[in-house]
PDB file of all heavy atoms in Angstrom:
ATOM      1  N   VAL A 378    -140.571 157.555 -99.576  1.00 97.00           N
ATOM      2  CA  VAL A 378    -139.972 158.782-100.123  1.00 97.00           C
ATOM      3  C   VAL A 378    -140.933 159.304-101.246  1.00 97.00           C
ATOM      4  O   VAL A 378    -141.218 158.506-102.163  1.00 97.00           O
ATOM      5  CB  VAL A 378    -138.530 158.529-100.712  1.00 97.00           C
ATOM      6  CG1 VAL A 378    -138.084 159.807-101.472  1.00 97.00           C
ATOM      7  CG2 VAL A 378    -137.654 158.124 -99.567  1.00 97.00           C
ATOM      8  N   TRP A 379    -141.416 160.478-101.142  1.00 95.00           N
ATOM      9  CA  TRP A 379    -142.264 161.045-102.199  1.00 95.00           C
ATOM     10  C   TRP A 379    -141.575 162.136-103.025  1.00 95.00           C
ATOM     11  O   TRP A 379    -142.092 162.462-104.108  1.00 95.00           O
ATOM     12  CB  TRP A 379    -143.618 161.510-101.575  1.00 95.00           C
ATOM     13  CG  TRP A 379    -143.504 162.498-100.495  1.00 95.00           C
ATOM     14  CD1 TRP A 379    -143.386 162.221 -99.140  1.00 95.00           C
ATOM     15  CD2 TRP A 379    -143.628 163.926-100.596  1.00 95.00           C
ATOM     16  NE1 TRP A 379    -143.326 163.407 -98.438  1.00 95.00           N
ATOM     17  CE2 TRP A 379    -143.538 164.479 -99.350  1.00 95.00           C
ATOM     18  CE3 TRP A 379    -143.724 164.730-101.714  1.00 95.00           C
ATOM     19  CZ2 TRP A 379    -143.559 165.832 -99.155  1.00 95.00           C
ATOM     20  CZ3 TRP A 379    -143.827 166.120-101.511  1.00 95.00           C
ATOM     21  CH2 TRP A 379    -143.676 166.647-100.197  1.00 95.00           C
ATOM     22  N   SER A 380    -140.565 162.682-102.603  1.00 95.00           N
ATOM     23  CA  SER A 380    -139.838 163.630-103.485  1.00 95.00           C
ATOM     24  C   SER A 380    -138.432 163.843-103.042  1.00 95.00           C
ATOM     25  O   SER A 380    -138.138 163.598-101.762  1.00 95.00           O
ATOM     26  CB  SER A 380    -140.557 164.936-103.344  1.00 95.00           C
ATOM     27  OG  SER A 380    -139.894 165.977-103.986  1.00 95.00           O
ATOM     28  N   ALA A 381    -137.563 164.110-103.941  1.00 97.00           N
ATOM     29  CA  ALA A 381    -136.140 164.491-103.649  1.00 97.00           C
ATOM     30  C   ALA A 381    -135.812 165.759-104.371  1.00 97.00           C
ATOM     31  O   ALA A 381    -136.153 165.809-105.573  1.00 97.00           O
ATOM     32  CB  ALA A 381    -135.256 163.386-103.901  1.00 97.00           C
ATOM     33  N   GLN A 569    -137.607 151.891-111.791  1.00 97.00           N
ATOM     34  CA  GLN A 569    -138.302 152.878-111.005  1.00 97.00           C
ATOM     35  C   GLN A 569    -137.517 154.147-110.964  1.00 97.00           C
ATOM     36  O   GLN A 569    -136.574 154.321-110.213  1.00 97.00           O
ATOM     37  CB  GLN A 569    -138.463 152.286-109.516  1.00 97.00           C
ATOM     38  CG  GLN A 569    -139.168 153.137-108.551  1.00 97.00           C
ATOM     39  CD  GLN A 569    -140.631 153.326-108.832  1.00 97.00           C
ATOM     40  OE1 GLN A 569    -140.967 154.325-109.459  1.00 97.00           O
ATOM     41  NE2 GLN A 569    -141.422 152.486-108.402  1.00 97.00           N
ATOM     42  N   ASP A 571    -138.832 157.336-110.692  1.00 96.00           N
ATOM     43  CA  ASP A 571    -139.541 158.576-110.280  1.00 96.00           C
ATOM     44  C   ASP A 571    -138.712 159.594-109.586  1.00 96.00           C
ATOM     45  O   ASP A 571    -138.981 160.835-109.820  1.00 96.00           O
ATOM     46  CB  ASP A 571    -140.740 158.089-109.258  1.00 96.00           C
ATOM     47  CG  ASP A 571    -141.800 157.357-110.011  1.00 96.00           C
ATOM     48  OD1 ASP A 571    -141.810 157.417-111.291  1.00 96.00           O
ATOM     49  OD2 ASP A 571    -142.609 156.719-109.361  1.00 96.00           O
ATOM     50  N   LEU A 572    -137.764 159.236-108.730  1.00 97.00           N
ATOM     51  CA  LEU A 572    -137.086 160.226-108.007  1.00 97.00           C
ATOM     52  C   LEU A 572    -135.997 160.934-108.926  1.00 97.00           C
ATOM     53  O   LEU A 572    -135.531 162.110-108.600  1.00 97.00           O
ATOM     54  CB  LEU A 572    -136.396 159.666-106.754  1.00 97.00           C
ATOM     55  CG  LEU A 572    -137.252 159.151-105.703  1.00 97.00           C
ATOM     56  CD1 LEU A 572    -136.529 158.455-104.562  1.00 97.00           C
ATOM     57  CD2 LEU A 572    -138.187 160.233-105.188  1.00 97.00           C
ATOM     58  N   ARG A 721    -147.985 153.605-113.987  1.00 95.00           N
ATOM     59  CA  ARG A 721    -146.875 152.684-113.849  1.00 95.00           C
ATOM     60  C   ARG A 721    -147.151 151.304-114.362  1.00 95.00           C
ATOM     61  O   ARG A 721    -146.313 150.614-114.837  1.00 95.00           O
ATOM     62  CB  ARG A 721    -146.547 152.534-112.247  1.00 95.00           C
ATOM     63  CG  ARG A 721    -145.940 153.852-111.697  1.00 95.00           C
ATOM     64  CD  ARG A 721    -145.732 153.651-110.200  1.00 95.00           C
ATOM     65  NE  ARG A 721    -145.057 154.747-109.617  1.00 95.00           N
ATOM     66  CZ  ARG A 721    -145.667 155.894-109.196  1.00 95.00           C
ATOM     67  NH1 ARG A 721    -146.992 155.959-109.271  1.00 95.00           N
ATOM     68  NH2 ARG A 721    -144.976 156.918-108.773  1.00 95.00           N
ATOM     69  N   ARG A 742    -143.268 162.240-112.490  1.00 84.00           N
ATOM     70  CA  ARG A 742    -144.269 162.281-111.481  1.00 84.00           C
ATOM     71  C   ARG A 742    -143.627 163.147-110.316  1.00 84.00           C
ATOM     72  O   ARG A 742    -142.735 162.664-109.746  1.00 84.00           O
ATOM     73  CB  ARG A 742    -144.665 160.874-110.951  1.00 84.00           C
ATOM     74  CG  ARG A 742    -145.140 159.998-112.078  1.00 84.00           C
ATOM     75  CD  ARG A 742    -145.346 158.555-111.630  1.00 84.00           C
ATOM     76  NE  ARG A 742    -145.737 157.738-112.828  1.00 84.00           N
ATOM     77  CZ  ARG A 742    -144.981 156.836-113.340  1.00 84.00           C
ATOM     78  NH1 ARG A 742    -143.776 156.516-112.853  1.00 84.00           N
ATOM     79  NH2 ARG A 742    -145.448 156.202-114.403  1.00 84.00           N
ATOM     80  N   LEU A 743    -144.188 164.251-110.071  1.00 78.00           N
ATOM     81  CA  LEU A 743    -143.578 165.124-109.063  1.00 78.00           C
ATOM     82  C   LEU A 743    -143.670 164.687-107.653  1.00 78.00           C
ATOM     83  O   LEU A 743    -142.933 164.861-106.833  1.00 78.00           O
ATOM     84  CB  LEU A 743    -144.154 166.576-109.221  1.00 78.00           C
ATOM     85  CG  LEU A 743    -143.693 167.234-110.509  1.00 78.00           C
ATOM     86  CD1 LEU A 743    -144.356 168.601-110.619  1.00 78.00           C
ATOM     87  CD2 LEU A 743    -142.242 167.389-110.648  1.00 78.00           C
ATOM     88  N   VAL A 744    -144.797 163.839-107.486  1.00 83.00           N
ATOM     89  CA  VAL A 744    -144.961 163.203-106.123  1.00 83.00           C
ATOM     90  C   VAL A 744    -144.878 161.735-106.445  1.00 83.00           C
ATOM     91  O   VAL A 744    -145.763 161.142-107.149  1.00 83.00           O
ATOM     92  CB  VAL A 744    -146.301 163.573-105.607  1.00 83.00           C
ATOM     93  CG1 VAL A 744    -146.553 162.852-104.216  1.00 83.00           C
ATOM     94  CG2 VAL A 744    -146.343 165.105-105.256  1.00 83.00           C
ATOM     95  N   ALA A 745    -143.864 161.099-105.893  1.00 85.00           N
ATOM     96  CA  ALA A 745    -143.522 159.646-106.244  1.00 85.00           C
ATOM     97  C   ALA A 745    -144.456 158.681-105.607  1.00 85.00           C
ATOM     98  O   ALA A 745    -144.525 157.606-105.996  1.00 85.00           O
ATOM     99  CB  ALA A 745    -142.083 159.324-105.976  1.00 85.00           C
ATOM    100  N   THR A 746    -145.088 159.076-104.447  1.00 85.00           N
ATOM    101  CA  THR A 746    -146.045 158.195-103.829  1.00 85.00           C
ATOM    102  C   THR A 746    -147.026 159.133-103.059  1.00 85.00           C
ATOM    103  O   THR A 746    -146.635 160.213-102.710  1.00 85.00           O
ATOM    104  CB  THR A 746    -145.308 157.206-102.803  1.00 85.00           C
ATOM    105  OG1 THR A 746    -146.193 156.241-102.421  1.00 85.00           O
ATOM    106  CG2 THR A 746    -144.810 157.970-101.669  1.00 85.00           C
ATOM    107  N   PRO A 747    -148.339 158.717-102.988  1.00 84.00           N
ATOM    108  CA  PRO A 747    -149.304 159.581-102.423  1.00 84.00           C
ATOM    109  C   PRO A 747    -148.880 159.910-100.981  1.00 84.00           C
ATOM    110  O   PRO A 747    -148.407 159.053-100.188  1.00 84.00           O
ATOM    111  CB  PRO A 747    -150.595 158.753-102.433  1.00 84.00           C
ATOM    112  CG  PRO A 747    -150.354 157.692-103.407  1.00 84.00           C
ATOM    113  CD  PRO A 747    -148.833 157.397-103.461  1.00 84.00           C
TER     114      PRO A 747
ATOM    115  N   PHE B 284    -151.767 149.971-106.871  1.00 96.00           N
ATOM    116  CA  PHE B 284    -152.866 150.525-106.109  1.00 96.00           C
ATOM    117  C   PHE B 284    -154.171 149.801-106.346  1.00 96.00           C
ATOM    118  O   PHE B 284    -155.262 150.310-106.026  1.00 96.00           O
ATOM    119  CB  PHE B 284    -153.036 152.009-106.493  1.00 96.00           C
ATOM    120  CG  PHE B 284    -151.953 152.911-106.019  1.00 96.00           C
ATOM    121  CD1 PHE B 284    -150.730 152.974-106.791  1.00 96.00           C
ATOM    122  CD2 PHE B 284    -152.070 153.636-104.889  1.00 96.00           C
ATOM    123  CE1 PHE B 284    -149.686 153.758-106.347  1.00 96.00           C
ATOM    124  CE2 PHE B 284    -150.948 154.468-104.505  1.00 96.00           C
ATOM    125  CZ  PHE B 284    -149.808 154.543-105.250  1.00 96.00           C
ATOM    126  N   ARG B 297    -152.784 151.139 -99.210  1.00 97.00           N
ATOM    127  CA  ARG B 297    -152.336 149.901 -99.952  1.00 97.00           C
ATOM    128  C   ARG B 297    -152.160 148.770 -98.976  1.00 97.00           C
ATOM    129  O   ARG B 297    -151.225 148.765 -98.164  1.00 97.00           O
ATOM    130  CB  ARG B 297    -151.035 150.178-100.752  1.00 97.00           C
ATOM    131  CG  ARG B 297    -151.250 151.084-102.006  1.00 97.00           C
ATOM    132  CD  ARG B 297    -150.006 151.535-102.571  1.00 97.00           C
ATOM    133  NE  ARG B 297    -149.541 152.771-101.772  1.00 97.00           N
ATOM    134  CZ  ARG B 297    -148.415 153.365-102.060  1.00 97.00           C
ATOM    135  NH1 ARG B 297    -147.625 152.918-103.017  1.00 97.00           N
ATOM    136  NH2 ARG B 297    -147.989 154.464-101.339  1.00 97.00           N
TER     137      ARG B 297
END
Side-chain angles (χ1 to χ4, degrees):
Chain A
V378 174
W379 55 272
S380 171
Q569 181 65 268
D571 287 347
L572 295 179
R721 288 179 177 88
R742 306 172 182 111
L743 292 176
V744 175
T746 192
Chain B
F284 294 80
R297 286 166 280 179

